[in-house]
Each structure stands twice: as structure tokens, then as C-alpha cells.
Amino acid sequence: MIISTLGSHSSLQILHGAKKEGFTTNVITDKNRENFYKRFNFIDEVRSYNSLDDALDLINKNNEESVFIPHGSLIEYLGMDRVKRIKTPIFGNRNLFEWEANQHKKMSLLKMAKIKIPESFESPEDVDRLVIVKLLGAKGGKGYFIAKNKEEVKEGLNKLLEAKLIKSIDEVIIQEYVIGIPMYFHFFYSPIFKRVEITGMDIRYETNVDGLRRLPTNLINVDPTFVVAGNIPVIARESILPKAFEYAENFVNTVKENVPPGMIGPFCLESIVTDSLDIVVFEFSGRIVAGTNLYVEGSPYSWLYWDEPMSVGRRIAREIKIAKLENKLGEVTT
Amino acid sequence: MIISTLGSHSSLQILHGAKKEGFTTNVITDKNRENFYKRFNFIDEVRSYNSLDDALDLINKNNEESVFIPHGSLIEYLGMDRVKRIKTPIFGNRNLFEWEANQHKKMSLLKMAKIKIPESFESPEDVDRLVIVKLLGAKGGKGYFIAKNKEEVKEGLNKLLEAKLIKSIDEVIIQEYVIGIPMYFHFFYSPIFKRVEITGMDIRYETNVDGLRRLPTNLINVDPTFVVAGNIPVIARESILPKAFEYAENFVNTVKENVPPGMIGPFCLESIVTDSLDIVVFEFSGRIVAGTNLYVEGSPYSWLYWDEPMSVGRRIAREIKIAKLENKLGEVTT
Amino acid sequence: MIISTLGSHSSLQILHGAKKEGFTTNVITDKNRENFYKRFNFIDEVRSYNSLDDALDLINKNNEESVFIPHGSLIEYLGMDRVKRIKTPIFGNRNLFEWEANQHKKMSLLKMAKIKIPESFESPEDVDRLVIVKLLGAKGGKGYFIAKNKEEVKEGLNKLLEAKLIKSIDEVIIQEYVIGIPMYFHFFYSPIFKRVEITGMDIRYETNVDGLRRLPTNLINVDPTFVVAGNIPVIARESILPKAFEYAENFVNTVKENVPPGMIGPFCLESIVTDSLDIVVFEFSGRIVAGTNLYVEGSPYSWLYWDEPMSVGRRIAREIKIAKLENKLGEVTT
């Protein structure tokens, strides 16, 4: 049986984990990265494409005995239309893709789950506090900016319009900037075990903002940018975890009700922890996040469940393996 | 034989380690967290309490064949009076609790150990440099503030008094703010092996201060707070380690002389490393610290001693196991 | 067969790895640190010296059946002249030492490898942007400063001259300060397997700059310093890795052509990742870096190659072991 994924994001981890669980592996990659992926022995086959349509064909060449693992770069690279035409079974709930792609639907799902979220502002005119303005389509934080009042929001939006990063202000989301520290909680919902596991936690390492703070303020004459270039490991105070789990379970239940067949596999609650130790979730990811790449050999949390190294990539493969053995492959793929 | 602890702080790590060493485990937890602790298979029994007096009863229900592991939340949750009424053998030196609870006694112990500590100021009037003001009773950095002169100290104290966070200024410690980087050195003293081991190192991840520094300074109109919400892994330059060990051994010797029966098990030297690579210790913990939760599967340092994954939780259980085998349980419990 | 190194920098990791691979180990250390190194069982012999000439003698006491592992503190401690008189076979290419010691030759090697590097300025007069001024001989960032124009450069240089940290301004390198985030990519070139492996990644933890940023800016009246006191783990976005590998291979090829017999073993590309996800390399290390000490039990990257814990220290020992078995010791030592 074959496990396949697109060459980017967390594909090394995914295929490394799949190989550990005994699967045949292949990666579908841009021709430019072919040599890169050929460096790794746990990838049985590197299939390279010259165009995105080719990429789709290569994915669909995997027959029904295959499982394709989506990750954060899939829709970014292929576009939603092509992703919808993937015929190979996908691990996870493909109906969740459009909820995740649309910021408004995304936040509504969190709200339905009774998870604390930052205030959103429909129009720059409504802004009455520190906000962060995010581009709806952007990946990795590109174009994001912080503003402390409506004037700064408008000014920033004008810059984005001039730079043609957006066509209209409908393409941004204006969100209260919650004061606290970022913490990204990685979870895994197992339809087979019917349980939520915490698989890890990370902090994003963003350029240039995480470099600017090393400069004396009188030297800084550049605007901060928020492009994710890496991840740093972190753990949370144990007393925060019960709340994090409560949110994770609420989320799983809400997805079950609103996005059939419900949550399958990895997801992430991107959060700010305030100084009253509240968790405010400003985003979710309905699939594996790149921060899990820290934990190729297991995380401080995975060892609480497993007596063997268990990355999220391997956890996915393990779920598929058990599902297959129990004739429940349909419960973990869509 | 049973290993038990209070459900918070580092209880997952402690009980996970105890199970690895073959002990029966139980956790004593607030009713609200009962479901949380039931998620983990390595906890054999979850005993939940509705009141703190119940908690004490549940701890004492563990008979003499049990060992109770104290951690940083024990006194915070139960209060010193109840902790004194714990009858179950405690791993570690229970006489150290009051030294740790009293900031003045705490710093005096470090001083006796000839460990470099920050200057302390008896009165706001004496302040002649950058200081940090800490609440004596506070856990996790709540209420802490930084001040650059006596006026700012007084102003900050007035705010604390008004907010009723303190009743008198005797409830704070005014400490020189040492310029450098925080590093928390985790050690373990084994009365069985008669040696000090370094078990790891961490940086605290504090809200909101570690989030504020991502904001352009012109946007910051909130005061920094120092509530510990997590921990980040770190290692030290190898050439710093001999000094760290010297301090650790001095500390063990000083505790031996002044707080019989002496140091047992984990402790931490909370330090600032200056740019002349001096280590200045501004606090110690006489028991397991939460930063060790990073190393459930061992730390970059634990592997220098052990050829198997050795968290501090497991190291405690290992010490108890060996002590028991050698009929020396009395040497590691009080 | 013996593996030996100088007691500092990454010697614990190196000797721990050597022991795992079955070698006899010895450390050559300053008398002051003798007790420190005696704490670790994987070191078979601790040889201490009172003078640097003694140190050289102790290194040379290791016969031809030994391999001496150089690291970042070797030249700093012993001085280039003594290092040149080491007769014991050295793992790695000893001809690279002087390229690494000379900032101008160093940068030229990167340039020849078609690696993007920061602009350099011959004279303070030429400075037209934010720069960092580095001391040529300095280790660990001592004396480094940031300046935003030629006036500040001159002012800073005068301070260094007055403090006698330098004798002339020829002892500094004035480098464009690239805005972005630091990332240190650790690689290993295996002459035996003829491949480049990525072994890990780190961020340096520098005092006092990484502490200052926790202070409200109005409180900061001290200049930032950049003395490396530790390291923090990090991983990179997967899509950055192909470029990092391209640079690493270019570097290996360029060393092959210009510094015979070419690259052997660990090296590091010290880089800034900009917000366009460009990698700008501002320095290289032609041997093991201290950041690898994070990964005594393997890194998120080492597990992609090895099904066993593989520190860089152990990787070195493994390379020597295989070279020896295949009668190719001459290919990995000089």
C-alpha cells in the first residue's frame, strides 16, 4: 500500500513516518526539487512535475490502494480547483478544506465550538484597538501588518492595494491583536481510537519580526514582516493543558456536526496565551502543520501516549495501518 | 509500591517516569481536572478532590509503602500548613520547603554557598540601579515589575497595594536586575550515587513579555508581565558548565550543613548569564521545576549519563527504586 | 583506536559519540576543568595541562592510531602556531583552518561558491547602510557592534581602540547588517559516502542582546552585546531546504577546488533568512559548531538518515570507523 504527498511543507516527516509503518512511499514534486527529495532513502519514488496539471495527474496515478496526505502547501500550490479533482483517497476530511480556506467560515467554526477568539472588525472604520491585518489568501504571514487605530489600518491597506498584494479590502481580515504569547497546540483526532491526542506544540519563527527585536529600537527603520521561516519547540505549563484539551474536543465535536464526516487526524489551534493564562485561538489548521517537523522522533507529548518515537507523520501512517487492518479505511479517508 | 503526586506542574512527567520504572501510579487532582488526567494510561488511578482538605486526606491515604513527589505547585495549591501535615513519605527534603518559601532565607542559602547573587535592596529608598520587584508569595511571575529608580519602585508598589496584590511592602523583594540572558540549570543530587548530575536547561516563556517584544515599540502601551506559561529548550556553551557544576556542588554542601538531611533529588539554579559569561543566580528551586517537562524522553545532558531516555520524573523513580533495593529508602525520603 | 579532543566547545558530544562507536576516548583539558571532565563515564582518560605547550604535547602523545577532533575552541585556545604543530592525524581538512581564521579569505570562499553573502565595506567611509562590525580574531561575538551610518562606525571603532580590544581598524570586518532571522545550518560532508547530510539547525542565544529585548525600551541604557552563551533548537520551512543544500554542495565543491583535499566532516553555514526567504550566509565554520550540542541524541534531521541516535560527534566517529574498515583513514584525516 502506498502513501503519497506533495513535496513541500511536512512531506519529509510524512513519508519518513509512512516508511516506519511499512508503507511504500512516493513524493510528487516540482521538477526543481527532484534532486532534493532523491537524497532521502525513505522515499521510494520521486515523481516530478513541470506543471500543476501534471502534479494533479501524478497524484491521481496513485490508485485506490493509495492514500494521499494533504498538508498546508497543497491548496497553496495546486489551487482549490485542482485539489477538488483529486481522486485518490485523501487522509482526513476533504470537506474541511474550504472552511479552512475562507477566513470567515474558519472563525465561525471556532466560534461555534465555544472557543475564545479575537474580536474581528468588518470595516477599518470599526477598529477601536490594536489590530493585525491578515491577507485572506496569503500563506506564511506574507503582507500581514499591525495597526493601532483605524487610520493606520487604512494606510496599511492602501499600501497593500498599491503593491497589488490585494485587489480589494475584502481580501483581508482585521483581527484584534491579542496581547500575550503565541503557542501553537498540535492535536490529532483518531476516529479509530475515538480520542484526541496532543502531539506537540511550537512557536513560529518569523522573518523579519523575530530578527528585528534583536536590534536597538533606534536602529529600526523597517516595518516588521511575519513570514514563517521556521519553528521553535516549546511546552506549556501543565495547568493550561486541560483548557487546551477542552477546546480541542469542542472543536472535534463542532466539526463532526457541521462538516461531515468530521475531524480526522491532525489539526492545530493557533493561539495566544494571555497573562491571565487564557487561551485565545486566532486560527485553526485542519491538517498537519509544519511545526510538527520539530518532532520527527517524537515530542515531549507524544511519549505520553507511545512507547516508540511517534511523529505526526508516523501517527497518520499508524492510523491508516490500523484502519486498514480493521477494514475501516473509509473512516479515515475521504 | 506506589508513586503519587498532585495533579499539576510536572505530574505527567513524574508519573510517566514512575510507570517506566515499574511503579504503580496515582494522581491527586482537583475534580475539574479529573477527565484530563484520565486521558493518560500511565496513571493507574486518578483520585479527585473537591476541597484542599480532601486533597490532604487523599495524599495521606497513600500508606508507608508509597512515596509522594512534591513539585512547584504543591505549596501554592495546598498551603504550607497542609503540606506540613503530609504523613506519606516525601521524596526529597521537606525541611527545605520553608527555606524556599521565604525569599530572604532563600537568598541567604545561595549566599552561604558562595554563589554569585544579585544585590538586594531592603527599602525602595536604597535603590540605585535597575531592579525587578517580585512578590514573595506569588507563583509564576504574577505581579512582578521592573523599575529603573526608587521613584518607579514606589510607584509600582503603590499600584500593587491598590490592586490588593500585596498588603505591605514587606511582601516584596527588590532585586538588582542583572543584564544578561536567563538560563535555568536543572540538577539532580543523588544521595545514593553521591553525585550531582546536570539534567537539562530551559528558558521560561513568559506572557506577555515574550510577546510584547514582537511589537514595534511605538505600538506598545501596555506594561510587560512575567507570567510563566511555558518553557523553551536551550543548552549552554560547554565552557560555562564547570562553573555551573561548582555552584551546584556548593549548594548541595550548604544544604547538607544547614538544612538536614541535605539535598535529595532535583533542584534548579535560576540564573542570568552575563556577557562576561558570569553566572548570577537570582533564585533556586529545591525540587523538580516545570522546565524539565521539555525532556520527557531525555535531555541533551541526560544522555551523557544514561543510555536510556531519562526524564527527571524517571530519574526520581530510578533513585527511589535503587534506594529501595539497597534498603536506603530513608536516605531519599523525609 | 583512540579519539581525542580538547576539553571545551563540543568535547562532551564528540567523546560521547566516539564511545558509542566503540572508540577509546581521551580529553585534553586545562587543569582547572579536570574535575569537570572526570564526571563523565564515556571519557576514558582525562589529561590535564598547565600550559598551552603542555597541551600540544599531550595532543601529540596520541600516536598515529589516534584521531584528534578539532572544534571551534582549538585555535582560540592553542593559537594557530601550535595547531600547525599537531602531529596526530586530525579528522577534517587542516588546510581549511587558515581560511576560516582570516575573515577576508573566509568570505571569498563563500563568494566563490556562489553563495549569497552580505556586502562588505573596506573602510568606515564607504558605509551607506546598517552594518555590524566584527572583530577578526574575536570568538563568540565579543566586541561586536551595530551601527547605522559611517559616523556610528567610527565612534564604535574608537571605543574598541580605546578599550584596546583592537590595535588598528584592520582588525575588524564591516559587514552589511542583513534584516531577517538568524539560522545556522549544520551540514556534514562524508568523503566515504560522497554525500552532504544536513545534521541540524540552531539559533544562537547571545548575552546580553537576547536578554535586553525583554526590557521595556525606555529602561534600556546599555549597549547590546553579542556573546554566545548557548543555543536554541530550530527547524526550517521545508521549502528553504533545497536552497540550503544547493549552497552546501557548492561550498563542498569550492573547498575541493581551492583547499585540497577538500571538505571532510561537519561544517556550518551561518545565515540570515530574509522575508523573501532568501538565505544570506554571513560566515561559515569548517568544523563542528557548538549548536550541534543540542542534538546529543539526534536532531529532527539526523533521523531522516539514521535509524539510531546520531549526534554530529557520533557521526564523526562513525565516519572514522567506516573509513578505517575500508582502509580509507587517509581520506578523512589530514
Short mmCIF file of all heavy atoms in Angstrom, two decimals, chain B residues 105-133:
data_model
loop_
_atom_site.label_atom_id
_atom_site.label_comp_id
_atom_site.label_asym_id
_atom_site.label_seq_id
_atom_site.Cartn_x
_atom_site.Cartn_y
_atom_site.Cartn_z
N LYS B 105 15.38 33.85 53.36
CA LYS B 105 16.12 32.63 53.69
C LYS B 105 16.68 31.99 52.42
O LYS B 105 17.80 31.46 52.41
CB LYS B 105 15.22 31.63 54.41
CG LYS B 105 14.78 32.09 55.81
CD LYS B 105 13.97 31.03 56.55
CE LYS B 105 14.85 29.97 57.19
NZ LYS B 105 14.08 29.10 58.11
N LYS B 106 15.88 32.08 51.37
CA LYS B 106 16.28 31.51 50.08
C LYS B 106 17.59 32.13 49.60
O LYS B 106 18.54 31.43 49.26
CB LYS B 106 15.16 31.81 49.08
CG LYS B 106 15.22 31.04 47.81
CD LYS B 106 13.98 31.42 46.97
CE LYS B 106 13.51 30.27 46.12
NZ LYS B 106 12.20 30.54 45.53
N MET B 107 17.62 33.45 49.57
CA MET B 107 18.80 34.12 49.06
C MET B 107 20.00 33.89 50.00
O MET B 107 21.14 33.79 49.54
CB MET B 107 18.54 35.62 48.87
CG MET B 107 17.48 35.96 47.81
SD MET B 107 17.60 35.07 46.23
CE MET B 107 19.08 35.79 45.51
N SER B 108 19.72 33.78 51.29
CA SER B 108 20.82 33.59 52.24
C SER B 108 21.49 32.23 52.01
O SER B 108 22.70 32.10 52.17
CB SER B 108 20.32 33.72 53.68
OG SER B 108 19.58 32.58 54.04
N LEU B 109 20.70 31.25 51.62
CA LEU B 109 21.26 29.91 51.36
C LEU B 109 22.21 29.97 50.16
O LEU B 109 23.31 29.40 50.17
CB LEU B 109 20.11 28.92 51.10
CG LEU B 109 20.35 27.45 51.45
CD1 LEU B 109 20.81 27.25 52.88
CD2 LEU B 109 19.09 26.63 51.18
N LEU B 110 21.80 30.70 49.13
CA LEU B 110 22.67 30.87 47.96
C LEU B 110 23.95 31.60 48.35
O LEU B 110 25.04 31.26 47.90
CB LEU B 110 21.92 31.64 46.85
CG LEU B 110 20.79 30.89 46.16
CD1 LEU B 110 19.98 31.83 45.28
CD2 LEU B 110 21.35 29.72 45.33
N LYS B 111 23.78 32.60 49.17
CA LYS B 111 24.93 33.40 49.60
C LYS B 111 25.92 32.53 50.38
O LYS B 111 27.12 32.59 50.15
CB LYS B 111 24.42 34.54 50.48
CG LYS B 111 25.25 35.81 50.39
CD LYS B 111 24.51 36.97 51.04
CE LYS B 111 25.31 38.26 50.93
NZ LYS B 111 24.52 39.40 51.43
N MET B 112 25.37 31.74 51.29
CA MET B 112 26.24 30.84 52.07
C MET B 112 27.00 29.88 51.16
O MET B 112 28.11 29.46 51.48
CB MET B 112 25.39 30.04 53.06
CG MET B 112 24.97 30.84 54.30
SD MET B 112 24.19 29.76 55.54
CE MET B 112 22.47 29.80 55.00
N ALA B 113 26.37 29.55 50.04
CA ALA B 113 27.02 28.61 49.11
C ALA B 113 28.05 29.30 48.22
O ALA B 113 28.58 28.69 47.29
CB ALA B 113 25.95 27.91 48.27
N LYS B 114 28.30 30.58 48.51
CA LYS B 114 29.26 31.37 47.72
C LYS B 114 28.89 31.43 46.23
O LYS B 114 29.76 31.40 45.35
CB LYS B 114 30.68 30.86 47.91
CG LYS B 114 31.13 30.87 49.37
CD LYS B 114 32.63 30.80 49.49
CE LYS B 114 33.07 30.63 50.96
NZ LYS B 114 32.36 31.53 51.90
N ILE B 115 27.60 31.48 46.02
CA ILE B 115 27.09 31.62 44.65
C ILE B 115 26.83 33.10 44.40
O ILE B 115 26.29 33.79 45.27
CB ILE B 115 25.78 30.79 44.50
CG1 ILE B 115 26.12 29.30 44.52
CG2 ILE B 115 25.03 31.18 43.24
CD1 ILE B 115 24.92 28.38 44.60
N LYS B 116 27.24 33.58 43.24
CA LYS B 116 27.01 35.00 42.92
C LYS B 116 25.51 35.27 42.78
O LYS B 116 24.83 34.59 42.00
CB LYS B 116 27.74 35.35 41.62
CG LYS B 116 27.88 36.85 41.39
CD LYS B 116 28.74 37.18 40.17
CE LYS B 116 30.21 37.24 40.49
NZ LYS B 116 31.03 37.81 39.38
N ILE B 117 25.01 36.22 43.57
CA ILE B 117 23.58 36.56 43.51
C ILE B 117 23.41 38.06 43.24
O ILE B 117 24.35 38.82 43.42
CB ILE B 117 22.84 36.19 44.83
CG1 ILE B 117 23.49 36.92 46.03
CG2 ILE B 117 22.84 34.69 45.05
CD1 ILE B 117 22.71 36.75 47.33
N PRO B 118 22.23 38.48 42.79
CA PRO B 118 22.04 39.91 42.56
C PRO B 118 21.97 40.64 43.90
O PRO B 118 21.58 40.07 44.92
CB PRO B 118 20.67 39.99 41.87
CG PRO B 118 20.25 38.58 41.59
CD PRO B 118 21.03 37.69 42.48
N GLU B 119 22.31 41.92 43.87
CA GLU B 119 22.15 42.78 45.03
C GLU B 119 20.67 42.84 45.42
O GLU B 119 19.80 42.85 44.56
CB GLU B 119 22.63 44.19 44.64
CG GLU B 119 23.03 45.09 45.77
CD GLU B 119 24.41 44.73 46.31
OE1 GLU B 119 25.32 44.46 45.48
OE2 GLU B 119 24.57 44.70 47.53
N SER B 120 20.39 42.86 46.72
CA SER B 120 19.02 43.06 47.19
C SER B 120 18.90 44.40 47.89
O SER B 120 19.87 44.86 48.48
CB SER B 120 18.63 41.95 48.18
OG SER B 120 18.07 40.88 47.49
N PHE B 121 17.72 45.00 47.82
CA PHE B 121 17.51 46.29 48.48
C PHE B 121 16.42 46.16 49.52
O PHE B 121 15.30 45.74 49.21
CB PHE B 121 17.17 47.37 47.44
CG PHE B 121 18.27 47.56 46.43
CD1 PHE B 121 18.25 46.88 45.22
CD2 PHE B 121 19.35 48.38 46.72
CE1 PHE B 121 19.28 47.03 44.31
CE2 PHE B 121 20.39 48.54 45.81
CZ PHE B 121 20.35 47.86 44.60
N GLU B 122 16.76 46.52 50.75
CA GLU B 122 15.81 46.40 51.85
C GLU B 122 14.62 47.34 51.65
O GLU B 122 13.47 46.97 51.87
CB GLU B 122 16.50 46.77 53.18
CG GLU B 122 17.51 45.74 53.67
CD GLU B 122 16.84 44.41 53.99
OE1 GLU B 122 15.82 44.42 54.71
OE2 GLU B 122 17.33 43.37 53.50
N SER B 123 14.92 48.55 51.21
CA SER B 123 13.88 49.57 51.12
C SER B 123 13.94 50.23 49.75
O SER B 123 15.01 50.33 49.14
CB SER B 123 14.11 50.61 52.22
OG SER B 123 13.78 51.89 51.77
N PRO B 124 12.82 50.70 49.25
CA PRO B 124 12.81 51.41 47.96
C PRO B 124 13.81 52.56 47.96
O PRO B 124 14.40 52.86 46.92
CB PRO B 124 11.38 51.95 47.86
CG PRO B 124 10.56 51.06 48.72
CD PRO B 124 11.46 50.59 49.82
N GLU B 125 14.01 53.17 49.13
CA GLU B 125 14.93 54.30 49.23
C GLU B 125 16.36 53.95 48.84
O GLU B 125 17.14 54.79 48.40
CB GLU B 125 14.95 54.84 50.68
CG GLU B 125 13.80 55.75 51.03
CD GLU B 125 13.69 56.94 50.10
OE1 GLU B 125 14.72 57.46 49.63
OE2 GLU B 125 12.54 57.35 49.81
N ASP B 126 16.72 52.68 49.03
CA ASP B 126 18.10 52.27 48.77
C ASP B 126 18.39 52.01 47.29
O ASP B 126 19.55 51.86 46.90
CB ASP B 126 18.42 50.98 49.55
CG ASP B 126 18.22 51.15 51.04
OD1 ASP B 126 18.31 52.30 51.51
OD2 ASP B 126 17.96 50.14 51.72
N VAL B 127 17.34 51.94 46.49
CA VAL B 127 17.50 51.53 45.09
C VAL B 127 18.35 52.54 44.32
O VAL B 127 18.05 53.72 44.29
CB VAL B 127 16.12 51.37 44.42
CG1 VAL B 127 16.27 51.20 42.92
CG2 VAL B 127 15.37 50.20 45.03
N ASP B 128 19.44 52.04 43.71
CA ASP B 128 20.32 52.93 42.95
C ASP B 128 20.61 52.42 41.54
O ASP B 128 21.56 52.83 40.91
CB ASP B 128 21.63 53.14 43.72
CG ASP B 128 22.39 51.83 43.89
OD1 ASP B 128 21.87 50.76 43.46
OD2 ASP B 128 23.50 51.85 44.44
N ARG B 129 19.80 51.47 41.10
CA ARG B 129 20.04 50.90 39.75
C ARG B 129 18.75 50.24 39.25
O ARG B 129 17.73 50.27 39.94
CB ARG B 129 21.18 49.89 39.81
CG ARG B 129 20.83 48.63 40.58
CD ARG B 129 22.06 47.81 40.90
NE ARG B 129 22.80 48.39 42.02
CZ ARG B 129 23.89 47.85 42.56
NH1 ARG B 129 24.41 46.74 42.08
NH2 ARG B 129 24.47 48.41 43.60
N LEU B 130 18.82 49.63 38.08
CA LEU B 130 17.68 48.91 37.53
C LEU B 130 17.35 47.72 38.44
O LEU B 130 18.24 46.96 38.82
CB LEU B 130 18.04 48.40 36.12
CG LEU B 130 16.91 47.89 35.23
CD1 LEU B 130 15.92 48.99 34.91
CD2 LEU B 130 17.47 47.32 33.93
N VAL B 131 16.06 47.60 38.82
CA VAL B 131 15.68 46.50 39.71
C VAL B 131 14.44 45.78 39.19
O VAL B 131 13.71 46.30 38.35
CB VAL B 131 15.35 47.00 41.15
CG1 VAL B 131 16.58 47.56 41.84
CG2 VAL B 131 14.22 48.04 41.13
N ILE B 132 14.24 44.56 39.69
CA ILE B 132 12.98 43.87 39.47
C ILE B 132 12.35 43.65 40.83
O ILE B 132 13.03 43.28 41.79
CB ILE B 132 13.16 42.55 38.67
CG1 ILE B 132 11.79 41.88 38.44
CG2 ILE B 132 14.12 41.59 39.36
CD1 ILE B 132 11.80 40.85 37.31
N VAL B 133 11.07 43.95 40.92
CA VAL B 133 10.36 43.80 42.17
C VAL B 133 9.47 42.56 42.07
O VAL B 133 8.68 42.42 41.14
CB VAL B 133 9.51 45.05 42.48
CG1 VAL B 133 8.78 44.88 43.82
CG2 VAL B 133 10.39 46.29 42.52
#
